[in-house]
Amino acid sequence: MNAPLDAATAFGPGAAMQPAPDHQIAVIGLGYIGLPTAAILASYGWDVCGVDVSGRVVDTVNAGGVHIEERDLDRLVDEATRSKRLVASVHVPAAHYYMIAVPTPLGAGNTPDISYVEAAARSIAPNILPGACIIIESTSPVGTTERVAEIVAEMRPDISIPKFGAKHGGDIAIAYCPERVLPGRIVQELIQNDRVVGGLTPDCAQQAAALYMSFVRGDCLITNSRVAETVKLVENSFRDVNIAFANELSMIADEIGVDVWDVIRLANRHPRVNILQPGPGVGGHCIAVDPWFLVAGAPKAARLVRTAREVNDYKAVHTENRIRALIDAAPGAKVALLGLAFKPDIDDFRESPALEIAANLCADLGKRMLVVEPFIDDLPASIAELGAELTGLDAALAEAEIVVVLVDHTAFKHLMPADFAGKLVFDTRGMFKK
Ligand code: SAJ
């Protein structure tokens, strides 16, 4: 275990003279990123207060439990709370480091809504002490770090706030360090991945990087806050554009009558071609959302990024239309839908195209839909109330004449062509081709 930095190392000469804060670190937002980060920091010896607006979440964490499914997280939180290095609260304490990990949803017209980040900044400002450091981890439109600085400046005229682009200055530090971890591998990737740390000033970046260097095994790469904000949006836009290419190919292949999986497999044997995999659309709360933040920042320039989003959204419509064509070809037949999650082997349904498609089909054909999803015990209410049934894999295959693979969960991968004999099959993930 790495030793945590002491106050003087983290805040520079004289910092130890400041009034003592309640905790070394306050993590604002105990969701998919905040809770694992808080627990890892505690496991590396830091004294952490996790803050959440939900009393239920706070109580769960203080009892050593977790409210989200993520590999190894339950063990980590249990150990962190037992050791008393992690406590949770609905109140923001005075701390050396404040880490903001709250949601940044899409607002009306696909524009970013940073109101939770702004609220977090407002909740930090009254308690902040000179020498402290605010780090924003939430995926954010470019300029959000400066907006946080503005809010703190308005609320705390007694403190000098660093200015973007200045060489030095400010009584506190403010920086942006995006999370880049993959759901399902969050605990591992929080430690292993390189981090990009962007400060309002170089001093801000250094102070923020000192925290990450205490637990990250990858490199901590220093830059300014605007570049760091852009890097995060670009990473997910890059993936979205590449998936859009694969999804568009699959629609072209449908139209010209070739097998897209064969085309991609053979094209990828070219030494400089690496096409991703088509699916029923793109889900999750990152890739399906973040590119819009780039588009909002530069609507005229971001043409490819916008189009990729539209292609990936349209792929879900195309998929649903293909399933409806199968249903029309077999009147009265039962339909097995395999998978609802936004990607394989997780229980996360956020922005899931599979869930959206299933809900639309259930709205018309509820009682004919047999939904197989090994990661849940009950169907989401939106589908259950339409008459669909959560069914075991074997029972669904026995009853259904139409089988649609929406998610290639490992639990489905043992299936063989003989399991589908005599049925109409639509495999949106190419599970049987890979
Ligand atoms: N997908 C495809 N075809 C592919 C790959 C993915 O259709 O070949 C679909 C998946 O099924 C899913 C969606 O894309 O619906 C997104 O899945 P993902 O595994 O690509 O990404 P996420 O959303 O789980 O996590 C991403 C990651 N970003 C990148 O890989 C650039 C992760 O590192 C980020 O931290 C995360 O977004 C985030 O929080 O921003």
Side-chain angles (χ1 to χ4, degrees):
M1 186 178 88
N2 293 5
L5 304 175
D6 61 30
T9 315
F11 299 99
M17 305 298 289
Q18 301 296 343
D22 308 325
H23 292 273
Q24 288 177 314
I25 304 174
V27 177
I28 322 293
L30 293 177
Y32 280 88
I33 301 301
L35 182 57
T37 305
I40 284 175
L41 286 165
S43 78
Y44 275 73
W46 291 93
D47 155 42
V48 184
C49 178
V51 180
D52 204 282
V53 289
S54 160
R56 186 182 59 83
V57 168
V58 165
D59 291 346
T60 305
V61 172
N62 279 332
V66 294
H67 61 289
I68 46 179
E69 280 292 322
E70 180 61 40
R71 194 181 308 157
D72 294 337
L73 184 62
D74 45 359
R75 175 190 52 80
L76 209 56
V77 171
D78 182 49
E79 285 170 10
T81 49
R82 273 175 202 277
S83 71
K84 306 264 187 270
R85 290 202 183 276
L86 173 62
V87 295
S89 172
V90 288
H91 302 292
V92 179
H96 283 311
Y97 281 105
Y98 295 93
M99 203 178 252
I100 299 178
V102 295
T104 44
L106 266 188
N110 290 328
T111 54
D113 171 1
I114 61 164
S115 56
Y116 296 106
V117 174
E118 292 175 324
R122 286 191 195 97
S123 70
I124 291 167
N127 283 332
I128 201 163
L129 300 170
C133 175
I134 302 175
I135 301 166
I136 300 133
E137 285 218 2
S138 311
T139 301
S140 299
V142 179
T144 301
T145 312
E146 289 150 84
R147 175 70 191 127
V148 166
E150 201 176 274
I151 289 170
V152 179
E154 278 165 14
M155 293 179 68
R156 292 296 299 271
D158 56 315
I159 289 181
S160 152
I161 307 298
K163 302 257 177 312
F164 177 83
K167 285 225 162 69
H168 304 285
D171 294 336
I172 61 170
I174 306 182
Y176 182 76
C177 178
E179 61 83 10
R180 358 159 77 170
V181 290
L182 205 62
R185 291 171 45 178
I186 290 179
V187 171
Q188 179 193 347
E189 291 205 359
L190 274 174
I191 294 170
Q192 301 293 349
N193 291 359
D194 293 343
R195 300 301 293 248
V196 175
V197 188
L200 287 178
T201 67
D203 289 348
C204 294
Q206 291 296 347
Q207 191 167 323
L211 176 60
Y212 290 98
M213 277 166 6
S214 74
F215 70 98
V216 168
R217 297 210 187 115
D219 293 332
C220 291
L221 308 156
I222 301 286
T223 182
N224 69 51
S225 56
R226 285 186 201 167
V227 169
E229 289 159 346
T230 312
V231 165
K232 169 67 192 191
L233 302 182
V234 164
E235 289 167 359
N236 281 351
S237 299
F238 172 85
R239 194 150 170 85
D240 199 42
V241 166
N242 280 281
I243 299 170
F245 182 74
N247 277 334
E248 183 161 299
L249 268 188
S250 71
M251 293 186 277
I252 293 171
D254 282 348
E255 203 160 315
I256 60 182
V258 295
D259 183 322
V260 71
W261 311 104
D262 285 344
V263 170
I264 291 175
R265 178 174 55 81
L266 295 171
N268 280 349
R269 297 299 291 266
H270 183 289
R272 286 172 295 282
V273 173
N274 187 10
I275 302 168
L276 294 181
Q277 301 299 305
V282 166
H285 195 69
C286 308
I287 306 237
V289 173
D290 303 352
W292 287 119
F293 290 19
L294 262 192
V295 174
K300 288 211 177 99
R303 291 162 58 187
L304 179 62
V305 177
R306 175 200 294 273
T307 303
R309 263 301 58 246
E310 288 167 354
V311 168
N312 283 331
D313 280 348
Y314 181 70
K315 183 64 198 291
V317 177
H318 175 86
T319 303
E320 186 182 324
N321 289 342
R322 281 199 58 187
I323 300 170
R324 285 187 186 276
L326 288 182
I327 291 171
D328 289 346
K334 291 218 163 180
V335 185
L337 297 177
L338 307 194
L340 288 181
F342 87 82
K343 66 177 188 176
D345 297 334
I346 56 171
D347 73 337
D348 192 335
F349 300 92
R350 290 179 297 172
E351 322 291 334
S352 169
L355 182 61
E356 183 191 318
I357 291 165
N360 291 344
L361 293 172
C362 290
D364 296 341
L365 303 149
K367 295 237 176 292
R368 287 168 62 186
M369 294 292 154
L370 307 172
V371 179
V372 183
E373 176 47 75
F375 282 84
I376 50 177
D377 297 324
D378 298 299
L379 278 182
S382 58
I383 299 192
E385 64 202 20
L386 297 171
E389 276 181 47
L390 184 64
T391 314
L393 180 60
D394 292 344
L397 290 179
E399 260 191 82
E401 287 165 50
I402 300 171
V403 179
V404 181
V405 179
L406 290 172
V407 187
D408 44 343
H409 286 312
T410 303
F412 304 148
K413 289 195 173 159
H414 64 282
L415 294 172
M416 305 293 285
D419 296 309
F420 303 111
K423 299 182 194 298
L424 294 172
V425 179
F426 178 21
D427 174 7
T428 71
R429 298 275 183 170
M431 188 166 76
F432 306 114
K433 282 288 191 165
K434 290 181 209 158

